[in-house]
Amino acid sequence: MRLVTKAIYGLLPRLPRIASVLVFFLGYVYTSAAESEDPPALETMPMAALEFLDNYCLNCHDSFEKKGGFDMEILGFDLASAHGFKQWVKVFDRAREGEMPPKNRRQPGAKELGQFLEAIGQEMESADSARIARNGRAKTRRLNRFEYENTLRQILDADWLQVADRLPEDSTAHLFNKVGEMLDVSHVQIQQYLKASDFALRAAKDQAAHPAKTERFYAREEPIMQNYLNYRDGQRAATRAITPLIGTTPQPEVIRGNEPVTVGDANPEMREMEAFGTVSGTYTATTKYDFTRMDPPVDGRYRLRMKTYTYTAGPNGASGGPDHGITGGNVAWWRPSRSEAFPGKRSEPVTLYALADSGDSRWLTTFDSFPEPSVIERIVDLKAGEGIRPDAARLVRTRPGWKGNPNATPEGIPGFALQWLEVEGPINEEWPPASYKALFGDLPFEVDDAGSVRAISEAENRDSRRLLVRFWERATGERSGSKGSKPYLDIYKQARELGMDFTDSMTTAYSAILCSPEFLFFDPKPGTLDNADLADRLAYFLWNGPPDEALASEQQLTRNSERQRHAVRLLEHPNSNRFVDAFLDYWLDLRDIKANAPDAALYPEYYLDDLLTESSVLETRLFFRELIDGDLPVRNLVQADFAYVNERLAQLYELPTFEGVHLRRVSLPEGHPRGGLLTQASVLRVTANGTTTSPVLRGAWAMERIVGIEIPPPPSGVEAVEPDIRGATTIREQLEKHTTIASCYSCHAKFDPVGLAMENFDVVGGWRDQYRAVGDDGEPIEGFGKNGHSFVYWPAQPVDSSGEMEDGTPFSSIHDLKDILAADDRQLARNLVNRFIVYATGAPVSFSEREEVERILDTAQTNDYGVRSLLLEVINSEIFKIK
């Protein structure tokens, strides 16, 4: 890697570096000089606006009063500065919404207010339009790490490639990781891009060193499962972890050590029937049934086949004793028997994770295991060296000293049996692999002793020039790459002079291209985008990655009809799920869902419930996908008559239950509280902290993310309202005290009511009529959690979800809140359009573009503000077509 870096930086032309330093210096001098000038005074405003300020604003916001720390006289009417313009937008909006002057002050008449808004609005629109014409509406920005990964996948013909986790986390603005101000490049990032690109290139070429092969790994031969079979190093927990089975017949003599764990390849027929059974879900500290003997040789796409079934262990098993828990020891009805088993009574949901040497796991897929032995097949992307961790996610996650099993019945304990895992891959549809051809075309190759592919060239000068031109064009989209690729040909030559062979020298040059400004940055000229830039914008909007050949070669993208035709095509492609996932991860904070783990004491039924966590995120993704595909009205964001659920979510939502891990669309009964984002488990979880819920946080989140009301940060020095987990006071009582302060009430009135209407939902989204507490008043609730340990909590005070919106509209429940929010579907649509525009263009809607947003809404109104219609109208808009 050091040699690669040396070769790249040793050959970068000196002049561009000097030029960039000069540009930075001159920009600094210019900026400093500009900022040293006094801002234009208020007297430069139109007379009607100045009179309005004198009558209604300056008595509080002059240089003497400075109420709220806002001094209009110092600010001046400075529309040239970004800060000044932003402040005047706030003035305009607060005056238009009637928030200023305050209600206890003299109020302007409608005509007077209208004249003021028109006077400053015209000046602001002119200034903003001039800025956009001069500089463009969005700043130059680099690819974020997910865009970088998807772009590499396409350029290298390597859909399986995973490099995003090798790059630093991207900063966000306006909720998304798409905004230029936050996507700069530091020397640290350049280093990481170099490492990531070098890794990707070597993974791509080394696919050719590993023709696909198929290996079968039997559960009985996995060391980690054998370790749980009987006493090992004094680990008493092993006596109830694993049971060797032939169908539903336990093999006590294998546990006793009198028979081998497996017959091995000496008896293929019996080997095929052997299984390990467990009544536990995977829990890292105590019970793991991982496949670790597999060793994917290279990052790539693999086909997994797994043979499993479910069974029922008998009750009245033992722990300890002289016979490994088969006889004697501490017998309990809820412990699984290791000598008695029956056919399974139901299916069990199973999750497969990729398991790294570090112990980190990554979700791959889920499936249902049934009482009859069956083989499931999935195609997944694995990294080199990863194992597979199955998890029977509904079963208890036993911990040392467990005292019970919530799934146990007097008739038996549900269990899950593993027979074998088969791994085929890496899968490549052609040979040599497409990823090798993306780098070295039709050149032959050999594999060295270290397992690395070395391309063979009989004419290195010709091949290096030819391949670098092709790669440059592929990476940058330029149609004639001989000129652009020349500096990278020099890098190749320098690497050869440093002693690197042809393959590594080419990889060095390729890596430099993948870190070049032409590859890393979106940098269109101010004004209307050309076909190439529009293709990039459309593809990175709907695919979070580069355009395909059909889009890149389209020469009519400036026409709305052609742009919309391609947009529909892109939305119908599986790659559009990247848009759905990324958009929701940032708009709704779904990426943070694991940060709010439910508290083990107050919410034991949710503790360690990964199936619920994963299902809830998938629900929101499928729900939003349905809104797009069906062009459903935007009011469904808050008020829908359907939901996507599986067995676990149906149980949480108190809907008719059914077996199965896969989510399906179900109609909600009339009067059911679910339907829409605000009542989905994922949203309710990311807006709680795992221990308590806060109407302040949930209300502010909902009003900002769903309704589109800007919520200012709380003033410094004001303590947060923390719910009382002892149950002595309700959050409503605490809020009533907090908002008696006028300055607090003015903001809290905007969002507290929404949060209060959501208080019937606990930290993960279950319905509640009472709060929970850790106190000891009243009748306790007792039981056994998923960790096998007893729990107790106390019901606290009743939940009151009634209230009054800021405008005085009363509500008594979540149903009323939904009615209120859905009634203003234009505002819901306006917010969603604003979010789409930030995500698509890398900049928020500016002041002069508000009228265009209203035009988008007017057009989409004919389709009841359908979500797909809104998205397509954004693509048709003037905003989308300019930098």
Side-chain angles (χ1 to χ4, degrees):
M1 189 65 226
R2 290 178 183 173
L3 195 55
V4 171
T5 306
K6 181 179 178 182
I8 291 172
Y9 283 106
L11 264 177
L12 288 178
R14 299 291 194 271
L15 187 57
R17 286 193 193 177
I18 297 170
S20 64
V21 172
L22 287 172
V23 167
F24 174 82
F25 175 74
L26 292 173
Y28 173 80
V29 172
Y30 173 80
T31 303
S32 299
E35 291 180 350
S36 66
E37 297 176 1
D38 293 331
L42 291 176
E43 284 73 13
T44 62
M45 298 180 71
M47 184 56 65
L50 191 57
E51 290 177 356
F52 185 93
L53 293 185
D54 194 45
N55 291 333
Y56 301 104
C57 304
L58 291 176
N59 54 340
C60 291
H61 298 296
D62 60 4
S63 297
F64 180 75
E65 291 287 345
K66 302 181 192 177
K67 287 198 173 178
F70 185 43
D71 182 350
M72 284 185 164
E73 291 182 325
I74 290 295
L75 177 65
F77 195 51
D78 187 5
L79 301 182
S81 110
H83 171 74
F85 191 90
K86 184 177 180 180
Q87 294 302 310
W88 280 107
V89 170
K90 289 182 179 180
V91 171
F92 182 95
D93 289 343
R94 299 197 73 180
R96 183 187 58 182
E97 298 301 323
E99 296 177 6
M100 286 291 167
K103 302 302 182 185
N104 59 352
R105 296 280 184 170
R106 183 166 66 94
Q107 298 296 306
K111 181 179 179 180
E112 196 175 6
L113 176 60
Q115 289 174 339
F116 168 71
L117 295 176
E118 182 179 5
I120 68 168
Q122 288 177 351
E123 295 282 334
M124 293 165 67
E125 280 192 20
S126 296
D128 194 40
S129 297
R131 175 190 64 82
I132 291 173
R134 184 173 61 252
N135 302 322
R137 62 181 308 279
K139 287 190 175 182
T140 296
R141 75 167 181 91
R142 62 169 169 81
L143 298 169
N144 66 40
R145 62 192 186 125
F146 301 107
E147 293 169 335
Y148 188 81
E149 176 180 84
N150 291 331
T151 305
L152 288 188
R153 286 175 173 177
Q154 182 161 313
I155 290 170
L156 301 177
D157 273 331
D159 288 344
W160 40 264
L161 191 62
Q162 299 175 73
V163 296
D165 57 356
R166 294 173 175 269
L167 297 170
E169 185 81 29
D170 297 307
S171 299
T172 61
H174 307 287
L175 302 184
F176 296 105
N177 60 342
K178 295 267 193 175
V179 179
E181 288 89 340
M182 309 305 292
L183 293 176
D184 55 358
V185 174
S186 68
H187 70 281
V188 173
Q189 285 164 320
I190 285 294
Q191 282 186 326
Q192 294 305 111
Y193 276 119
L194 281 169
K195 291 179 181 178
S197 63
D198 183 72
F199 167 82
L201 291 164
R202 296 183 187 282
K205 73 175 178 64
D206 287 345
Q207 287 283 301
H210 303 283
K213 64 178 181 179
T214 301
E215 293 183 280
R216 181 173 291 184
F217 304 94
Y218 289 90
R220 290 281 194 102
E221 297 168 15
E222 287 294 328
I224 196 166
M225 297 191 211
Q226 293 179 1
N227 286 343
Y228 288 106
L229 185 61
N230 48 36
Y231 284 112
R232 300 277 176 136
D233 300 323
Q235 294 185 21
R236 300 175 62 85
T239 59
R240 41 79 181 167
I242 291 288
T243 298
L245 299 170
I246 300 293
T248 57
T249 302
Q251 295 178 284
E253 294 307 307
V254 174
I255 299 174
R256 293 186 174 105
N258 297 328
E259 293 180 2
V261 176
T262 176
V263 296
D265 55 12
N267 188 341
E269 184 176 350
M270 180 63 71
R271 188 189 201 187
E272 179 69 17
M273 298 172 63
E274 291 176 337
F276 267 145
T278 178
V279 299
S280 300
T282 290
Y283 188 68
T284 305
T286 53
T287 309
K288 295 171 284 191
Y289 31 98
D290 304 336
F291 289 89
T292 57
R293 290 185 303 130
M294 60 178 285
D295 186 21
V298 66
D299 288 26
R301 187 150 287 171
Y302 293 80
R303 179 177 285 107
L304 304 182
R305 299 182 187 91
M306 181 173 280
K307 190 173 184 181
T308 68
Y309 60 92
T310 64
Y311 76 105
T312 303
N316 303 310
S319 176
D323 208 11
H324 306 302
I326 302 172
T327 59
N330 183 15
V331 177
W333 72 270
W334 47 265
R335 284 200 179 98
S337 170
R338 303 186 84 194
S339 57
E340 183 180 32
F342 312 99
K345 296 181 179 179
R346 55 154 294 153
S347 64
E348 290 295 341
V350 179
T351 305
L352 298 184
Y353 298 94
L355 184 65
D357 289 340
S358 63
D360 294 335
S361 59
R362 177 172 54 84
W363 183 91
L364 293 175
T365 188
T366 59
F367 66 93
D368 288 307
S369 181
F370 298 98
E372 285 296 318
S374 57
V375 177
I376 64 98
E377 181 176 301
R378 297 289 189 274
I379 293 179
V380 300
D381 296 334
L382 296 176
K383 299 179 182 180
E386 285 185 323
I388 296 295
R389 167 166 289 173
D391 176 22
R394 194 183 72 92
L395 303 183
V396 64
R397 296 191 190 280
T398 55
R399 297 181 67 180
W402 70 319
K403 297 294 189 293
N405 184 343
N407 295 317
T409 69
E411 290 74 37
I413 295 96
F416 164 66
L418 274 167
Q419 290 180 273
W420 48 257
L421 168 70
E422 196 170 82
V423 182
E424 177 190 349
I427 300 171
N428 288 289
E429 296 180 357
E430 57 185 281
W431 196 262
S435 59
Y436 172 84
K437 291 181 178 180
L439 299 175
F440 295 105
D442 57 357
L443 291 183
F445 64 89
E446 61 185 10
V447 181
D448 64 20
D449 293 340
S452 179
V453 166
R454 323 308 299 178
I456 301 171
S457 172
E458 300 295 337
E460 290 190 5
N461 289 337
R462 183 188 66 196
D463 287 338
S464 61
R465 183 177 295 103
R466 169 178 65 87
L467 292 173
L468 279 168
V469 167
R470 189 186 72 149
F471 191 82
W472 170 262
E473 291 177 347
R474 190 178 177 95
T476 64
E478 292 190 10
R479 295 301 177 183
S480 179
S482 57
K483 182 178 180 181
S485 62
K486 185 180 183 306
Y488 306 97
L489 181 61
D490 292 340
I491 289 176
Y492 159 80
K493 293 176 180 178
Q494 177 70 32
R496 289 293 279 137
E497 291 174 7
L498 289 171
M500 299 171 73
D501 68 8
F502 173 77
T503 301
D504 284 342
S505 297
M506 289 296 294
T507 301
T508 298
Y510 290 150
S511 184
I513 290 174
L514 296 180
C515 297
S516 67
E518 292 87 352
F519 179 78
L520 280 180
F521 285 88
F522 298 101
D523 190 21
K525 296 177 181 178
T528 302
L529 300 179
D530 61 20
N531 279 292
D533 289 327
L534 282 170
D536 278 345
R537 177 163 286 183
L538 187 57
Y540 282 95
F541 179 25
L542 299 182
W543 281 4
N544 217 29
D548 60 4
E549 181 59 31
L551 181 57
S553 60
E554 177 61 66
Q555 296 301 307
Q556 301 296 326
L557 286 177
T558 55
R559 296 170 55 184
N560 287 357
S561 59
E562 289 304 299
R563 213 161 53 254
Q564 181 158 319
R565 180 175 68 84
H566 280 283
V568 170
R569 181 178 66 83
L570 266 58
L571 282 172
E572 292 173 352
H573 192 281
N575 280 356
S576 62
N577 287 327
R578 298 173 183 168
F579 158 66
V580 172
D581 294 353
F583 184 77
L584 296 179
D585 276 351
Y586 284 84
W587 177 38
L588 303 181
D589 291 331
L590 295 191
R591 70 193 189 282
D592 297 330
I593 193 164
K594 291 187 177 180
N596 299 326
D599 183 77
L602 277 174
Y603 292 97
E605 69 269 48
Y606 306 141
Y607 181 59
L608 301 178
D609 196 341
D610 292 334
L611 178 62
L612 177 57
T613 300
E614 292 155 1
S615 299
S616 66
V617 172
L618 186 55
E619 176 198 9
T620 303
R621 300 200 195 289
L622 290 173
F623 173 78
F624 195 69
R625 181 89 237 185
E626 177 80 354
L627 299 189
I628 295 173
D629 291 347
D631 198 23
L632 300 186
V634 74
R635 62 175 174 271
N636 282 276
L637 290 176
V638 297
Q639 192 176 52
D641 61 2
F642 69 94
Y644 276 89
V645 297
N646 56 11
E647 178 182 12
R648 182 66 187 93
L649 283 172
Q651 179 188 35
L652 179 74
Y653 293 170
E654 299 179 9
L655 291 167
T657 56
F658 53 86
E659 280 188 27
V661 73
H662 297 291
L663 277 73
R664 63 187 73 170
R665 190 187 198 272
V666 299
S667 296
L668 295 171
E670 187 174 351
H672 199 278
R674 304 293 170 169
L677 293 176
L678 296 183
T679 56
Q680 290 180 5
S682 63
V683 166
L684 292 163
R685 177 160 170 178
V686 298
T687 56
N689 65 13
T691 301
T692 59
T693 61
S694 166
V696 177
L697 298 180
R698 272 187 176 165
W701 186 96
M703 291 301 285
E704 179 190 28
R705 306 302 175 96
I706 309 302
V707 182
I709 304 301
E710 183 178 357
I711 306 297
S716 59
V718 176
E719 293 185 6
V721 180
E722 297 291 344
D724 177 15
I725 63 171
R726 298 292 302 181
T729 59
T730 66
I731 185 65
R732 178 184 291 270
E733 292 169 336
Q734 292 172 281
L735 281 175
E736 285 174 353
K737 294 179 180 179
H738 181 77
T739 54
T740 54
I741 305 170
S743 60
C744 294
Y745 176 79
S746 62
C747 280
H748 280 263
K750 298 179 186 295
F751 48 80
D752 282 0
V754 176
L756 288 169
M758 299 169 68
E759 274 295 275
N760 278 117
F761 301 100
D762 63 29
V763 298
V764 164
W767 183 266
R768 64 185 178 190
D769 293 306
Q770 288 179 286
Y771 293 103
R772 297 184 182 187
V774 296
D776 54 4
D777 294 334
E779 194 70 26
I781 306 297
E782 299 179 283
F784 284 91
K786 201 175 180 68
N787 59 2
H789 287 257
S790 61
F791 64 78
V792 58
Y793 62 83
W794 283 262
Q797 301 191 42
V799 174
D800 179 2
S801 60
S802 64
E804 187 178 277
M805 301 296 282
E806 184 182 18
D807 64 0
T809 304
F811 60 85
S812 61
S813 67
I814 187 67
H815 300 284
D816 294 338
L817 176 69
K818 290 182 180 184
D819 289 340
I820 293 167
L821 297 181
D824 192 359
D825 54 353
R826 189 177 180 93
Q827 178 56 33
L828 297 175
R830 182 181 292 111
N831 174 60
L832 190 58
V833 165
N834 286 337
R835 304 304 179 194
F836 283 157
I837 288 172
V838 175
Y839 186 91
T841 69
V845 173
S846 68
F847 187 84
S848 63
E849 295 171 332
R850 292 178 174 184
E851 186 175 345
E852 176 69 357
V853 169
E854 297 308 309
R855 187 206 62 76
I856 291 172
L857 297 176
D858 290 341
T859 305
Q861 187 174 15
T862 59
N863 289 332
D864 217 6
Y865 301 117
V867 172
R868 188 186 186 92
S869 295
L870 293 170
L871 191 152
L872 293 177
E873 286 304 321
V874 166
I875 291 168
N876 282 344
S877 70
E878 293 300 314
I879 296 173
F880 190 87
K881 292 190 289 188
I882 62 175
K883 177 185 175 183

